[in-house]
Amino acid sequence: MENYNQPMFKAQELKDKVIVVTGGGSGLGKSMTKYFLQLGAKVVISSRDIDKLKNAAQELKNETHGEVLPIQCDVRNYNEVEAMLQTTLDTFGKVDGLLNNAAGNFISPTERLSARAFDIIIDIVLKGSKNCTLAFGKHWINSKQKNATVLNIVTTYASTGSAYVVPSATAKAGVLAMTRSLAVEWAKYGIRMNAIAPGPFPTKGAWDRLLPGDLKDKFDLSKKVPLKRMGEHQELANLAGYLMSDYSAYINGEVITIDGGEWLQGAGQFNMLEQIPQELWDQLEKMIRAKKQ
Ligand code: HXC
Ligand code: NAP
């Protein structure tokens, strides 16, 4: 398989769709935005840092010739989210998709965290996703717009939990519960809710906070993945493009894992037997069979 890092859709599969990407000025949000633009969508990118957003918007415009609008918005504040939605509607006349991608995270033993440090992650991830989902959902329901979609970026540890990133795991689990709950409740309004759980996809934002210093050499994350590599941004963008498009119209309430098998490798109790060399299996089999006699 050589072409996994190529764009999956080739035509204007998101033409005329208006999509808001929170945290769209960097990392995975920026990569997904780029692909949405290539597929003909108009995209609003938002985050706290307007200079970063303006630079990213210019870069994306140059690369794709698409329409991208940077809007400053701290997702923790509901009034800022409502203002961002209003500017989107004033500019583009409608909105079809919301990508809840903004996040905060860093590694720490939980007992070292102040109450505020724990809160800040919950506020960005869970409260932020809730604020955007609620504001956009109310708009879609009140305006009787059919065919809207919310896509939430969670992680595989939203389901399994993880030590040392406890605020993030707690918050992402909440986002996953919200995804599944509203998928049922809001389907009648034509709103689909899905999530993506990515494994390791290198970005500066995540790597600076999760693998600082020489941790990135000590813990080579690709070794934890059965496919022995990390994710390519285009692979994630392909999945996000599909889930934002009408081709995924019957997918609702799903969380799609894209991690090369990483979390299952950690889950199976005997997966460590991968380390046993092939030649040893003859010997082990003989020993086990001998016990029977
Ligand atoms: C302990 C810390 C800390 C650390 C900050 N704090 N860093 N505590 N260890 N390393 C504490 C501060 O002391 C403060 O508490 C509180 O947290 C808030 O910190 P501030 O610096 O004031 O907050 P702010 O400037 O708003 O920054 C928020 C942030 C920062 C979350 C701390 O990292 C950020 O802006 N992140 C955004 C981008 C991001 O995190 N991207 C990574 C997503 S990766 P006190 O009590 O002292 O006031 C991801 C991947 C998941 O989610 C899965 C990967 C495989
Ligand atoms: P990133 O570049 O640091 O992205 C996080 C984004 O969130 C930034 O653009 C940041 O912009 C924005 N943000 C943070 N706080 C915000 C706030 N209060 N309001 C609005 N925006 C805010 O890291 P990334 O790796 O691309 O992460 C993107 C998403 O993927 C996150 O949801 C993350 O949990 C998820 N994820 C990543 C990986 C991975 O391997 N990289 C794996 C699993 C899941 P500002 O600082 O300008 O506000």
Side-chain angles (χ1 to χ4, degrees):
M1 253 300 271
E2 295 298 328
N3 59 353
Y4 57 79
N5 55 4
Q6 298 301 310
M8 180 175 78
F9 289 139
K10 307 290 177 200
Q12 298 274 290
E13 313 290 356
L14 296 178
K15 194 168 162 43
D16 297 331
K17 285 202 189 288
V18 178
I19 300 172
V20 170
V21 180
T22 66
S26 67
L28 302 180
K30 189 174 165 195
S31 297
M32 290 185 277
T33 298
K34 182 176 166 188
Y35 192 43
F36 295 165
L37 290 167
Q38 286 169 337
L39 295 177
K42 295 166 186 160
V43 186
V44 169
I45 53 174
S46 74
S47 83
R48 296 165 298 180
D49 183 344
I50 188 64
D51 293 331
K52 184 172 89 177
L53 290 171
K54 281 182 181 164
N55 287 336
Q58 193 54 54
E59 200 184 304
L60 289 164
K61 258 182 220 166
N62 295 343
E63 281 175 353
T64 67
H65 307 292
E67 263 186 84
V68 53
L69 176 71
I71 303 180
Q72 186 167 30
C73 170
D74 186 330
V75 291
R76 291 173 293 183
N77 303 326
Y78 193 73
N79 56 346
E80 288 186 41
V81 170
E82 280 187 316
M84 183 259 286
L85 170 61
Q86 196 53 54
T87 309
T88 303
L89 295 172
D90 292 345
T91 310
F92 295 120
K94 61 160 188 164
V95 62
D96 306 284
L98 166 67
L99 177 55
N100 280 315
N101 163 81
N105 199 3
F106 53 80
I107 49 166
S108 175
T110 307
E111 67 278 12
R112 289 172 62 101
L113 296 173
S114 67
R116 184 167 174 264
F118 205 123
D119 279 351
I120 207 136
I121 304 301
I122 302 265
D123 284 354
I124 300 170
V125 176
L126 180 54
K127 196 172 160 193
S129 302
K130 176 276 289 178
N131 281 343
C132 294
T133 305
L134 191 62
F136 281 62
K138 279 173 186 286
H139 162 70
W140 285 321
I141 293 165
N142 291 336
S143 64
K144 297 195 165 46
Q145 176 174 337
K146 289 284 172 195
N147 195 14
T149 185
V150 179
L151 183 55
N152 297 318
I153 304 299
V154 295
T155 67
T156 52
Y157 60 60
S159 304
T160 64
S162 174
Y164 299 100
V165 283
V166 171
S168 171
T170 308
K172 294 282 193 184
V175 174
L176 185 51
M178 183 176 70
T179 309
R180 290 174 168 151
S181 307
L182 285 176
V184 173
E185 193 180 325
W186 283 356
K188 60 180 172 286
Y189 301 117
I191 302 170
R192 286 190 302 130
M193 303 272 310
N194 288 299
I196 297 178
F201 284 75
T203 64
K204 183 165 167 30
W207 261 231
D208 282 355
R209 294 171 176 90
L210 302 174
L211 295 165
D214 62 1
L215 280 197
K216 54 182 88 46
D217 308 316
K218 279 206 178 103
F219 302 109
D220 179 351
L221 292 192
S222 61
K223 290 198 179 125
K224 285 177 60 225
V225 180
L227 289 174
K228 297 293 172 229
R229 66 172 177 83
M230 291 195 259
E232 298 266 348
H233 286 206
Q234 184 65 49
E235 298 180 271
L236 181 71
N238 285 340
L239 179 56
Y242 168 66
L243 290 172
M244 275 292 172
S245 80
D246 295 338
Y247 289 103
S248 60
Y250 204 50
I251 299 183
N252 186 29
E254 190 53 77
V255 53
I256 300 183
T257 298
I258 176 165
D259 76 339
E262 184 198 32
W263 86 265
L264 285 168
Q265 166 115 324
Q269 265 179 325
F270 286 92
N271 287 351
M272 77 288 191
L273 297 185
E274 181 70 22
Q275 290 162 28
I276 291 183
Q278 283 305 315
E279 53 278 16
L280 205 61
W281 279 111
D282 286 344
Q283 226 174 309
L284 291 169
E285 185 179 334
K286 238 181 248 164
M287 284 159 67
I288 296 164
R289 286 181 184 277
K291 290 284 179 203
K292 222 168 70 179
Q293 285 144 16

